[in-house]
Each structure stands twice: as C-alpha cells, then as structure tokens.
Amino acid sequence: MVITISGKNVDTGTAFQENSREKLTDVVEKYFQNAVSGHVTLDKDEALFKVRIRVNLTNRIEMEATGLARDAHAALDMALEHAEKRLRRHKRRLKNHRHAGEQDDILRVPMAIYAGFDDTYDIGQSHQESDEDEALPVIAELS
C-alpha cells in the first residue's frame, strides 16, 4: 500500500512520518490486506492539530477519518482509532451481507408428492402387462 504524508502550514518531521506510516499500515492490513493507497494530512489550527486520514480500500471504496488534539501524535492516534473502528464496522457489514441468505436456505413448506406414470412402471414389465389402474387418467372436456 502506498502511503503519502503531507502537512498543511506545518512541516511534518521524519518521526511523525515514520510513526504514521507504520501505524496506518498496521491498522489497514489488520482488516483489508489489499488496500490501494493511503494519505495522511497534518494541519495546524490555532492551538490544535488536525490529522485527516484517507484510505482507498479498492478503486471505488474510500474511507476517511479525522482526529483533533493539542499534540500531532495524539491527533494521529485519535484518527487511527476512528479509522480502525470504521474499517472494523465495514468488514463486519461485508461479512454479514454475504452470509445473510444462508440462514434461510431451508424453508419448511408443506408439500405433496405425486408419482407419475414412469415412477409406477416397472422396468421388467412390458406396457401390455401393466394394469389398467396404473395407466394415466384421461381427462375429457365436454362442451
């Protein structure tokens, strides 16, 4: 997974970059092994740091999480907790959606089975030897 780390109005140090890259990889690979890419943005607003994490799980599915704190690493941890919670819930939805139909596969329905002519006809007997009762019923319509 390709992870890019950038800062808005802030210089991201090597310690923050390595820490965020390592932690984000651990969180994402815990639930989705084939994630495409991730992006971490660090932003400084007056007294708080804001970390925004965007992860492309597939080419069509994208997940976003944010964290606010007075320290950049604490904001990263909050954003990672939020991302992990969202990934866990998404994975659970995928599992439950696939297995929802399997619970109702067998339905108990009252039914009647009627034997047809081929079922009552013995292979060893010829057609002439069979009784008249075993023959198919004739349905006639009177007008």
Side-chain angles (χ1 to χ4, degrees):
M1 177 171 79
V2 178
I3 299 174
T4 56
I5 299 156
S6 62
K8 257 184 167 178
N9 303 328
V10 175
D11 182 32
T12 59
T14 57
F16 180 80
Q17 290 180 2
E18 290 174 5
N19 188 22
S20 60
R21 189 170 281 124
E22 179 182 319
K23 287 184 177 182
L24 183 61
T25 303
D26 291 343
V27 167
V28 172
E29 287 184 355
K30 184 177 180 181
Y31 297 103
F32 292 94
Q33 287 74 26
N34 299 327
V36 177
S37 65
H39 187 78
V40 178
T41 306
L42 177 65
D43 189 12
K44 173 86 167 141
D45 290 332
E46 297 176 10
L48 297 176
F49 285 96
K50 180 179 181 181
V51 174
R52 172 183 272 169
I53 298 174
R54 297 183 79 145
V55 178
N56 293 330
L57 300 174
T58 62
N59 289 333
R60 295 182 179 177
I61 299 174
E62 186 175 289
M63 188 270 315
E64 185 173 331
T66 57
L68 287 170
R70 291 180 184 245
D71 183 33
H73 291 278
L76 175 67
D77 290 339
M78 288 180 66
L80 286 170
E81 285 177 17
H82 189 229
E84 185 173 10
K85 185 184 289 187
R86 294 191 68 187
L87 289 170
R88 183 180 64 243
R89 288 178 178 170
H90 181 67
K91 179 93 174 203
R92 188 180 320 129
R93 284 188 202 117
L94 290 176
K95 281 185 175 181
N96 290 341
H97 179 69
R98 285 188 205 138
H99 299 295
E102 292 181 8
Q103 297 171 357
D104 299 327
D105 281 347
I106 300 173
L107 297 174
R108 304 272 181 205
V109 179
M111 64 178 174
I113 300 174
Y114 299 102
F117 179 73
D118 293 332
D119 295 337
T120 59
Y121 181 70
D122 251 352
I123 296 174
Q125 296 179 350
S126 66
H127 185 63
Q128 287 86 13
E129 295 175 3
S130 64
D131 296 328
E132 290 181 15
D133 296 334
E134 293 181 12
L136 291 174
V138 177
I139 301 173
E141 190 175 312
L142 299 173
S143 52

